[in-house]
Amino acid sequence: MSDGLTLLSENKCFGGTQQRYSHYSKYLNSEAIFSVFMPPVSTPTVGVVLWLSGLTCNDQNFVTKAGAQRVAAELGLIIVCPDTSPRGEGVANDEAYDLGQGAGFYVDATERPWSDHFKMFSYINIELIDIIKERFSDGKKVAISGHSMGGHGALISALKATEHYISVSAFAPIVNPVACPWGQKALAAYLGENEEAWREYDACELLNMRSAAFTLPILIDQGASDEFLDTQCLTKPIESASNLGLIDIRYQNGYDHSYFFVSSFIEDHLRFHAEHLSAM
Amino acid sequence: MSDGLTLLSENKCFGGTQQRYSHYSKYLNSEAIFSVFMPPVSTPTVGVVLWLSGLTCNDQNFVTKAGAQRVAAELGLIIVCPDTSPRGEGVANDEAYDLGQGAGFYVDATERPWSDHFKMFSYINIELIDIIKERFSDGKKVAISGHSMGGHGALISALKATEHYISVSAFAPIVNPVACPWGQKALAAYLGENEEAWREYDACELLNMRSAAFTLPILIDQGASDEFLDTQCLTKPIESASNLGLIDIRYQNGYDHSYFFVSSFIEDHLRFHAEHLSAM
């Protein structure tokens, strides 16, 4: 394609099309892959949901496991799923599952060896958003959602790049990464030891730093039996964050951190976003 | 558990429970794993759908990719997903994806080295059916379905073990394995060169050998853009098979052989089975 996208695969799904693309990303300084679900051409498109995945995931986990295409096809939602980090030869990595490839944490790294490629915040909120608007959404608006590390990514994207998004939702998000082991490890590696820099990528800290209420609608689902609730997701700090506007936090009894949880409630999130997107 | 089942995992999903069990199988002469979705306890159970997966799959592919739990929870369907072959140390295998582990073809092998463990037909239609009835279904009836090699497995199970099943459905089934490369390779390896033995595991041959019409309701979905339609699935021979009763064969425009196809139509299959199960 003339816009630099290469179509890797295309599968008909619920009358729409599940697509996968590769392209050269200038922010990631490498090839990047993302997936797109396009609803049936017969369904009027109401907008885009940009989905950010969690640790160890790539662009495929949500596509194959969440069961989102059915409702997206019904509502006329485009769903875009990027990878969770740069990848490939020459890209720094770590043996741990929670650092490096598959664990970009949606920040722009400033520290070596990560700073050559790990610019996920700019990739998502500048480069990919531009591709979505130019290539897929026909000017329609964008909502953002994600799971775990991707829930963190969705919240900080909405808080820092507010102009791009209509609504934000998250499943078991890491709401306060400066205060949990996953966040502390990643932020120290990518941003260095100065914790002031970490606060710029922490949803609770960003809310508390704001001078006015954050007015985008927020929906958060958190499994009450999530094995990471008390140690990594935390959740409580966002309930008490300052300058919160429209937020709905739901604890779901018996649900854990898995895609069985995400798939059970993705329909609610897509309907939430479609409502706000179609009201624009 | 006293019945020899070990619960490996349990995840809440759509108000029900996605479970995974291991047990010692006497027919497979090895440990075996299967998955079970139990609908919410508040939903009256109408019966069981036994799902057989295709080449390279294990018990997890359908569980994670088909998006079946939502409708199963609504309808009160238990879904049981076995593995596609025996596995593990001491179990024969082959480097090819279409023979050995992950490719049991739902037959009882008579040829070495396969005959020590590869007794998938008896495992499904004697051992697993007994476990389902004793442990999970509370006397409720069973329907059977599957994809590709598993669609073949569902059809031959319904044709040869008719007493166990209420209805049968399949996605892109290998309807005539004696006439396609996947089937010929597997049947020759597992059953030897005598093609008379192959016919006992071929849906079209079994239908043509019957003296009376096969009366279980059958639903088949076949992607019209399936890359394996003309070479492996074939489909046409079952349309013209003798002694067919209630069969509905649907060619779905634009769909391929993937789980994007299965997930798009699984709701229809579950509603088809629930209707027949609840009419009992």
Side-chain angles (χ1 to χ4, degrees), chain A:
Chain A
M1 295 181 191
S2 61
D3 51 9
L5 300 184
T6 302
L7 181 66
L8 301 178
S9 66
E10 190 165 39
N11 303 85
K12 191 167 180 182
C13 187
F14 285 98
T17 321
Q18 184 64 58
Q19 303 170 336
R20 197 173 192 215
Y21 292 92
S22 72
H23 70 120
Y24 177 79
S25 160
K26 65 180 180 185
Y27 283 97
L28 302 182
N29 187 23
S30 70
E31 284 293 304
I33 289 177
F34 63 90
S35 287
V36 178
F37 176 72
M38 294 298 289
V41 290
S42 56
T43 309
T45 305
V46 301
V48 180
V49 175
L50 176 52
W51 173 268
L52 305 184
S53 278
L55 286 168
T56 77
C57 292
N58 63 15
D59 65 298
Q60 289 288 287
N61 300 67
F62 183 82
V63 167
T64 57
K65 293 183 168 184
Q69 293 92 345
R70 179 184 60 89
V71 182
E74 176 201 324
L75 297 174
L77 288 172
I78 297 166
I79 302 182
V80 178
C81 302
D83 203 343
T84 58
S85 77
R87 294 189 196 260
E89 218 175 322
V91 175
N93 201 5
D94 189 278
E95 286 182 4
Y97 74 96
D98 55 359
L99 191 66
Q101 296 184 33
F105 255 84
Y106 304 104
V107 306
D108 284 353
T110 54
E111 301 300 298
R112 307 278 304 177
W114 311 108
S115 50
D116 287 347
H117 299 281
F118 283 71
K119 304 285 187 189
M120 284 299 289
F121 188 85
S122 292
Y123 172 65
I124 298 294
N125 293 290
I126 301 174
E127 192 169 8
L128 188 58
I129 275 282
D130 276 355
I131 292 172
I132 290 169
K133 292 186 171 176
E134 286 169 18
R135 175 69 174 74
F136 297 100
S137 75
D138 193 24
K140 295 295 193 306
K141 300 295 184 180
V142 181
I144 190 163
S145 184
H147 175 222
S148 192
M149 176 183 77
H152 145 77
L155 290 168
I156 62 168
S157 293
L159 280 155
K160 291 166 73 76
T162 310
E163 70 277 15
H164 291 316
Y165 305 107
I166 295 303
S167 50
V168 53
S169 77
F171 294 81
I174 302 169
V175 300
N176 198 190
V178 306
C180 79
W182 277 340
Q184 290 163 347
K185 176 178 178 177
L187 297 173
Y190 297 140
L191 305 174
E193 295 302 328
N194 176 10
E195 297 188 15
E196 282 307 301
W198 305 7
R199 297 174 63 204
E200 292 292 331
Y201 293 107
D202 180 298
C204 290
E205 296 286 337
L206 288 165
L207 281 163
N208 290 332
M209 286 190 278
R210 290 178 64 89
S211 58
F214 176 70
T215 55
L216 292 196
I218 309 176
L219 171 62
I220 292 179
D221 270 318
Q222 172 63 56
S225 298
D226 186 332
E227 58 274 35
F228 299 113
L229 171 54
D230 294 337
T231 52
Q232 306 280 8
C233 303
L234 307 179
T235 313
K236 284 281 171 213
I238 204 168
E239 291 184 25
S240 53
S242 317
N243 298 316
L244 258 177
L246 297 165
I247 189 164
D248 185 5
I249 301 180
R250 313 188 305 184
Y251 288 88
Q252 302 289 1
N253 268 342
Y255 286 89
D256 60 29
H257 200 72
S258 69
Y259 262 91
F260 296 114
F261 162 59
V262 174
S263 65
S264 297
F265 298 100
I266 190 65
E267 177 164 358
D268 290 358
H269 287 239
L270 296 184
R271 292 193 186 281
F272 164 83
H273 291 301
E275 186 185 327
H276 292 290
L277 288 164
S278 59
M280 294 310 295

Side-chain angles (χ1 to χ4, degrees), chain B residues 59-136:
Chain B
D59 66 298
Q60 289 287 286
N61 300 65
F62 183 82
V63 167
T64 56
K65 292 183 168 182
Q69 294 94 345
R70 179 184 62 87
V71 181
E74 175 200 325
L75 298 174
L77 287 172
I78 298 165
I79 302 182
V80 178
C81 302
D83 202 343
T84 57
S85 77
R87 293 189 197 260
E89 218 174 322
V91 175
N93 202 5
D94 189 278
E95 287 183 3
Y97 74 97
D98 55 0
L99 190 66
Q101 296 184 33
F105 255 84
Y106 303 104
V107 305
D108 284 352
T110 54
E111 301 300 299
R112 306 278 304 178
W114 311 108
S115 51
D116 288 347
H117 298 280
F118 283 70
K119 304 285 187 187
M120 284 299 289
F121 188 83
S122 292
Y123 173 65
I124 298 295
N125 292 291
I126 301 174
E127 193 169 8
L128 187 59
I129 275 282
D130 276 354
I131 293 172
I132 290 170
K133 292 188 171 176
E134 285 168 18
R135 176 67 176 73
F136 297 100

Side-chain angles (χ1 to χ4, degrees), chain B residues 264-277:
Chain B
S264 297
F265 298 100
I266 190 65
E267 177 165 356
D268 290 357
H269 286 238
L270 295 184
R271 292 192 185 282
F272 164 82
H273 291 301
E275 185 186 327
H276 292 289
L277 288 164

